[in-house]
Amino acid sequence: MSTQRYNHPVLNEQTLRSIVPQGAIGGLAEYHARIGSTNDRAIELAELNSPHGTLVVAEEQTAGRGRGGRGWWTPSGAGLALSVLLRPGVPATPAVLTGLGALAVCEAIEELGGKPEIKWPNDVLLSGKKTAGVLAEASWVSNALEYVVLGVGVNVRKASLPPSVDFPATCLDEVLGQRISRIDLLASILRNIDRWAGQLDQRELLSAWDARLAYRGQVVSYGKGLQGAIAGLGPEGELSIKMADGLEVNLNESEYNLRLVDREKE
Ligand code: BTN
């Protein structure tokens, strides 16, 4: 299959229209030169009954949000910031949808020759440093998932690296040693989200995510002095950790911050 390459240096309304996939994602697509947060805008659109696949892309975010109440830095021209509204027609957990977002980014980076890994649940690492993050925000009606806004932020140029970070960060240009086209990268991420969102009930997604798990078999700490070796993913995207006594625990709450134990000693 030949992939069309887009060399437009600027992300704008027109280039966005030209790369929206043919499937379910981006039927309704908004481009913003500057916005507070694409996730906030996508949540507004969801509350206005926008359909599955609604897409919001911004060149710059002034109040981008990350996991655990942290901020996310998206200066103009340097990264990618997008949010997709998903109304899954099949049972799906926000954890699995977070994995879907991280997987879509990994596959796009692999097309460029990179070897990304997913630090559970939502960080995409290159050479052990964070290069992208996913923030899935869910709305429930009673116990049923109404929608999820899947927000994806990617560090592409050096200027997209935040002034202060709680985990070592890098960008695609630096690790891949070339100037990456943000348009091609966005097109590829959208195609991948589109493909996985169409087969949410398949085990294939979990196994593709599992195959890219960072720190497999290595000892990590996951808060309050707890440690264990990463064993793999469970059926709902939870992380299995094997404790020193052989017992396995499943982390299914995404507010854990995994850290490699060896790295803590550096
Ligand atoms: C994280 O690693 O903590 C998640 C970062 C998610 C950032 C993206 S950028 C697009 C979308 N809009 C936001 O405000 N946040 C997400």
Side-chain angles (χ1 to χ4, degrees):
M1 194 181 77
S2 76
T3 310
Q4 197 177 348
R5 314 303 292 178
Y6 296 87
N7 293 313
H8 310 281
V10 181
L11 186 52
N12 58 29
E13 181 101 43
Q14 207 185 344
T15 47
L16 177 62
R17 301 258 166 252
S18 69
I19 59 167
V20 162
Q22 296 298 305
I25 303 301
L28 189 73
E30 277 191 0
Y31 166 82
H32 296 266
R34 177 190 277 176
I35 198 170
S37 152
T38 55
N39 263 35
D40 286 347
R41 177 61 186 151
I43 290 169
E44 269 172 28
L45 291 170
E47 297 296 331
L48 293 169
N49 284 327
S50 288
H52 173 75
T54 296
L55 170 67
V56 181
V57 173
E59 177 70 12
E60 177 183 359
Q61 291 188 119
T62 54
R65 294 188 289 108
R67 226 173 115 241
R70 287 181 288 272
W72 184 264
W73 175 254
T74 314
S76 180
L80 285 181
L82 62 127
S83 300
V84 179
L85 168 61
L86 298 174
R87 297 185 185 277
V90 294
T93 60
V96 167
L97 297 172
T98 299
L100 183 159
L103 181 57
V105 174
C106 282
E107 291 175 325
I109 296 175
E110 286 161 11
E111 272 184 40
L112 296 167
K115 297 244 174 308
E117 294 176 301
I118 301 172
K119 176 169 144 323
W120 185 90
N122 72 321
D123 290 339
V124 176
L125 308 184
L126 264 180
S127 304
K129 296 181 180 172
K130 178 160 173 169
T131 191
V134 176
L135 177 66
E137 298 186 289
S139 169
W140 303 84
V141 175
S142 303
N143 283 335
L145 185 62
E146 186 191 15
Y147 65 79
V148 166
V149 164
L150 189 63
V152 178
V154 187
N155 304 330
V156 182
R157 316 252 179 267
K158 258 199 157 147
S160 61
L161 297 181
S164 81
V165 281
D166 64 339
F167 189 84
T170 191
C171 62
L172 288 179
D173 281 4
E174 191 166 69
V175 178
L176 301 178
Q178 53 175 305
R179 193 176 163 87
I180 299 302
S181 158
R182 290 185 306 139
I183 312 294
D184 289 342
L185 181 72
L186 176 61
S188 172
I189 293 171
L190 294 177
R191 273 196 308 273
N192 297 334
I193 292 178
D194 200 45
R195 192 177 78 257
W196 287 116
Q199 53 183 56
L200 264 181
D201 50 350
Q202 297 196 10
R203 299 171 75 99
E204 217 183 306
L205 190 155
L206 280 170
S207 109
W209 176 11
D210 191 83
R212 291 165 177 82
L213 265 192
Y215 312 151
R216 180 185 297 281
Q218 293 180 272
V219 176
V220 294
S221 70
Y222 56 96
K224 303 233 163 89
L226 296 168
Q227 294 187 353
I230 292 193
L233 287 178
E236 303 213 320
E238 65 274 35
L239 188 70
S240 285
I241 298 220
K242 197 164 192 172
M243 317 286 280
D245 59 8
L247 279 182
E248 278 200 15
V249 291
N250 281 342
L251 308 187
N252 50 19
E253 215 248 58
S254 57
E255 284 311 315
Y256 291 103
N257 260 329
L258 299 187
R259 291 287 183 267
L260 255 190
V261 166
D262 283 350
R263 179 171 283 160
E264 283 187 336
K265 292 184 193 144
E266 282 168 8

